[in-house]
Amino acid sequence: MYQGKGRCACAGITYGKILHIKTPDITPAALTCQSVDQELSHLDIAINKAQIELDGLIEKARVEIGQEQAEIFEIHRMMLDDPDIVDNIRDMIKQGGISAADASIAVGKEQAAIFEALDDDYMKERSADIKDVTGRLARILRGGETVTLSESCVIVADDLQPSQTVAMDRSKILGFVLRKGTQNSHASILARTMNIPLIINANLPADLTGQGRAATESEEVLDLSGHTIALNSVKGVFYIDPDEEIVDKLKIDKDIFEQQRLRQLALRGLPGISKTGHRVHTFANIGQPDDVEQVLENDGEGIGLFRSEFLYLGRNDPPNEEEQYRAYAKVGSTMNGRLVIIRTLDIGADKKVDYFNLPVEENPALGMRALRICLTKVDIFKTQLRAIYRAAARGNIAMMFPMVTRLKEVEQAKAICAQVEQELKDEGKEYAVPKIGIMIETPAAAILSDQLAKHVDFFSVGTNDLNQYTTACDRQNQDLGDFYDPHHEAVLELLRLIAKNAHANGIPAGICGELAADPELTDLFIEMGYDELSVSPGAVLALRERVRNSETKCLNELTNSRTSLEPQKKF
């Protein structure tokens, strides 16, 4: 019996046979290049076949899992007309004399790499869309077939493209175990939509001799098809060829899990109030307007972080005012009075856009990014602010500035806001004035939080960057090991100071970084007096349950600091 571990991306417990889907060969020169004209003709035929396949997937997704997920494949279909993809494939065939299949793979890798380099999981996963589309073309060109399920099974793979997941017969999928993946990957989102247990980042075995041995990163995983697996994604563990004792324990764990899920579903509509009476608003983080459905499904009381930069990435020019207005207004109106906090443009560091013409920096995390860009590219900033002010008339919308380090930056940003308000007023356009907050994600802002609190309406702590800048540990460096400690004492002391200074000045304080979902810290955040915790949509009800079960007494609380988080139509 082999015991493996991974991360839970969709909670559940299951048992069954394994179907191991191997990653298809995507190495170059898999096919001999014929003439350029023939390869271009093959590409056109493949594009047509891909369009037909995607039409079928769109309809299948729409019927089985809803319009929101069907839109994934509508985007894939549009990518087949995207010149950055299709024209580049054609150019590579003409210039490089390579097969259409190899050109598709090469362009897919090149385009996907742009998104994979970003430090935002949502944006990273957009690379999966590009790989899916170009991989589909390569598969068709190479005569490959799609996976067909003949019996109920647990799918094991390195990773899954969104189209692979939806194309399978969901009634025969017991669970997923993936060697790669993230919480925001399409595979994760689709698994949660279909309520299928999923473990990502699994340490799959290289062999099953004795107790077995996990494959190293460079090693090939043993073909596990035909073996049995017991999967407990709640705990992030799985057992290959489990003994009877493990299977019996799995059944008990499954009963406990199902009871827990029913308890959490019963919390819909109930406030997050601890047993000591402290009110904690359980909000959700989103990356695009369509994520709102997941927020409402999980009864998020609001949106604590709407990452607006998704509108700016993967394009050749910045989004205009109307495009942004429609996106923000859609979220605001769909949330129907629940608070939506939009983070203004957070480009820079790992999130780059060529059309901003930013200089190459030796240490971009400490360079021109976020609010610094907005204060130097005022026209772009004003376009976004105009869209937010107009959308605020359509919903309960607030906004916050990222990467603040001192009061001068807040004053400059608010002066630009005043200009925008006057312009909209002069033009006779409908708007509402949103509340203005700031993200506390630098030690400088944390230390100056007493001063800053006097000039804004709320704080939201970005714990990922706060940890990075406080401990001098690059958040993207996977080799730092124990040196990167999310529970570092200095970070926790700054969190305590931030909440204290917010409440002393009568404003609410929230947390929208990864620590907000950390079950080991919920009690501590209640003790500190945090008013709002914002997590991924799927984690909202579990967080609310922890809050409601907490007996921790809040040691730092002023009642007037929470009133502005209560739902309201307009500010």
Side-chain angles (χ1 to χ4, degrees), residues 320-336:
N320 61 36
E321 181 182 328
E322 286 303 314
E323 184 179 350
Q324 293 189 65
Y325 164 71
R326 287 193 297 270
Y328 305 146
K330 177 181 178 180
V331 173
S333 60
T334 305
M335 287 298 288
N336 194 29

Side-chain angles (χ1 to χ4, degrees), residues 35 78 156-157 190 216 279 349-350 468 476 529:
S35 72
M78 288 192 301
V156 172
L190 290 169
T216 64
R279 176 75 163 101
D350 57 300
Q468 171 176 245
Q476 297 185 75

Side-chain angles (χ1 to χ4, degrees), residues 79 112 115 121-131 184-186 189 288:
M79 284 183 175
F115 287 88
D121 278 348
Y122 171 79
M123 298 312 303
K124 278 183 177 179
E125 288 308 325
R126 301 300 64 78
S127 66
D129 295 313
I130 297 169
K131 288 180 179 177
N184 291 324
S185 69
H186 281 315
I189 292 170
Q288 60 177 337

Side-chain angles (χ1 to χ4, degrees), residues 171-419:
S171 68
K172 293 178 179 175
I173 304 173
L174 300 174
F176 295 109
V177 179
L178 304 181
R179 194 180 188 187
K180 300 177 183 177
T182 71
Q183 295 286 352
N184 291 324
S185 69
H186 281 315
S188 296
I189 292 170
L190 290 169
R192 288 192 289 269
T193 301
M194 297 184 289
N195 199 28
I196 297 174
L198 166 62
I199 286 180
I200 58 175
N201 307 142
N203 60 339
L204 296 170
D207 68 66
L208 293 175
T209 307
Q211 293 299 310
R213 179 177 63 82
T216 64
E217 190 173 339
S218 59
E219 271 187 306
E220 185 175 349
V221 173
L222 181 71
D223 189 338
L224 299 170
S225 289
H227 290 267
T228 57
I229 185 169
L231 167 63
N232 185 339
S233 63
V234 181
K235 297 180 179 178
V237 296
F238 60 93
Y239 305 86
I240 296 174
D241 297 332
D243 55 33
E244 189 174 335
E245 181 182 351
I246 290 294
V247 174
D248 289 341
K249 187 176 184 305
L250 189 81
K251 292 176 181 176
I252 296 172
D253 287 343
K254 187 172 184 178
D255 288 340
I256 293 172
F257 168 74
E258 289 176 350
Q259 291 170 15
Q260 180 187 54
R261 185 58 183 162
L262 286 173
R263 285 199 316 271
Q264 291 174 356
L265 290 173
L267 297 177
R268 290 179 179 176
L270 297 178
I273 302 177
S274 71
K275 291 184 176 180
T276 57
H278 181 66
R279 176 75 163 101
V280 178
H281 292 261
T282 47
F283 283 13
N285 300 330
I286 67 170
Q288 60 177 337
D290 290 340
D291 293 342
V292 173
E293 288 188 29
Q294 287 188 58
V295 177
L296 296 175
E297 215 174 280
N298 290 278
D299 195 38
E301 295 179 88
I303 293 172
L305 172 61
F306 179 6
R307 303 178 181 94
S308 66
E309 57 270 15
F310 84 94
L311 284 169
Y312 292 78
L313 296 169
R315 52 190 300 154
N316 298 319
D317 49 25
N320 61 36
E321 181 182 328
E322 286 303 314
E323 184 179 350
Q324 293 189 65
Y325 164 71
R326 287 193 297 270
Y328 305 146
K330 177 181 178 180
V331 173
S333 60
T334 305
M335 287 298 288
N336 194 29
R338 302 185 189 196
L339 181 61
V340 176
I341 302 175
I342 300 172
R343 178 176 69 188
T344 58
L345 183 58
D346 189 11
I347 289 293
D350 57 300
K351 291 174 280 193
K352 299 184 185 302
V353 289
D354 291 339
Y355 56 80
F356 274 14
N357 297 314
L358 297 174
V360 176
E361 298 176 291
E362 187 172 342
N363 195 341
L366 301 179
M368 190 60 72
R369 60 172 298 192
L371 186 59
R372 296 170 182 174
I373 292 177
C374 292
L375 294 178
T376 54
K377 295 183 179 294
V378 177
D379 288 346
I380 289 175
F381 191 31
K382 288 178 76 171
T383 297
Q384 180 176 39
L385 293 176
R386 285 174 61 93
I388 292 173
Y389 270 65
R390 290 175 58 201
R394 294 284 179 268
N396 187 16
I397 290 177
M399 66 180 178
M400 59 184 177
F401 306 134
M403 288 301 296
V404 168
T405 63
R406 55 181 176 172
L407 179 58
K408 179 182 177 182
E409 296 161 2
V410 177
E411 291 174 335
Q412 289 176 318
K414 289 179 74 174
I416 297 172
C417 289
Q419 294 173 20

